[in-house]
Amino acid sequence: MTGNTRATPAARREHRALIIVDVQNDFCEGGTLAVPGGAAVAASIRRFLTEHRAEYSAVVATRDHHIDPGRHFAAAGTEPDYVTTWPVHCRAHTPGAEPHPELGSPTLDAVFYSGQYDDGYSGFDGTTDADLAEAGGVALGDWLRDQGISAVDVVGIATDHCVRATALDAATAGFPTRVLLEHTAGVAADTVATALDQMRAAGAELVGTVPHP
């Protein structure tokens, strides 16, 4: 074959994955650690997938899945500081840990559970083994490489916490990373601004704007 060959749309997108971060009941309105606009973001991700699913080789989700996370939960009778300690949320096998209904039932290639016994902010801390009871659980980074994924897009909750941590770890792991900000929800304007600076500095591409916290 001679001359230049123009890549087809399918060839261009065949190695990109979408990571949906922690779109769970406890992080949306009515949950124990609700993020303003969480339900709206769940719905926006559902609509985005309806229009763009074919652009991704894989779509995966992360789930906060706390069994006994130690100091991550504020001690009984004490107020959480919302920096290192939090209200009880996303207890394993409770309704609060389930995906929010506005997300719908997207076809997922894998789900990664994190925070069973620690903070678990980043999806890259998670594995396919929800309860860490089996030796066969696969970590998110390893799974993406095994699938031949070479770049990722990140959406979900919360922009300034688990989305930030997941995007930073994706970039550190060598995946060209885009954060689709209109499909994220943040806790507070100041921490969102800091998170955006950190993600940008790590080399993540920030697409769009975050709905105002």
Side-chain angles (χ1 to χ4, degrees):
M1 184 179 294
T2 59
N4 296 327
T5 301
R6 187 182 183 91
T8 65
R12 285 198 299 270
R13 63 182 178 240
E14 66 180 348
H15 299 304
R16 183 171 291 275
L18 180 70
I19 303 174
I20 304 170
V21 176
D22 295 1
V23 182
Q24 295 166 265
N25 288 326
D26 271 346
F27 295 137
C28 297
E29 290 81 353
T32 61
L33 191 52
V35 176
V41 162
S44 77
I45 294 171
R46 184 190 72 241
R47 292 190 295 269
F48 177 81
L49 276 173
T50 298
E51 298 175 3
H52 299 281
R53 177 62 180 86
E55 298 174 16
Y56 294 98
S57 294
V59 176
V60 303
T62 71
R63 298 278 186 266
D64 215 30
H65 191 78
H66 295 303
I67 297 171
D68 184 10
R71 290 177 294 179
H72 185 65
F73 290 166
T78 65
E79 286 295 318
D81 63 19
Y82 296 93
V83 177
T84 60
T85 61
W86 307 88
V88 175
H89 61 275
C90 294
R91 280 283 195 190
H93 312 299
T94 67
E98 293 299 312
H100 192 273
E102 286 291 346
L103 185 63
S105 301
T107 299
L108 300 173
D109 295 286
V111 178
F112 298 88
Y113 301 88
S114 62
Q116 289 92 331
Y117 297 100
D118 54 23
D119 298 327
Y121 294 112
S122 171
F124 281 79
D125 295 332
T127 76
T128 53
D129 181 4
D131 294 330
L132 301 183
E134 302 174 7
V138 180
L140 174 55
D142 293 335
W143 189 92
L144 292 171
R145 293 187 185 91
D146 288 346
Q147 301 300 312
I149 299 299
S150 57
V152 300
D153 289 351
V154 182
V155 297
I157 305 170
T159 321
D160 35 353
H161 294 285
C162 295
V163 167
R164 176 193 64 84
T166 300
L168 291 177
D169 279 354
T172 298
F175 295 100
T177 301
R178 300 190 306 199
V179 182
L180 309 184
L181 295 175
E182 66 182 287
H183 304 298
T184 71
V187 174
D190 57 344
T191 51
V192 166
T194 298
L196 298 184
D197 288 342
Q198 291 172 340
M199 290 187 287
R200 192 179 294 110
E205 179 184 356
L206 306 183
V207 179
T209 58
V210 184
H212 186 70

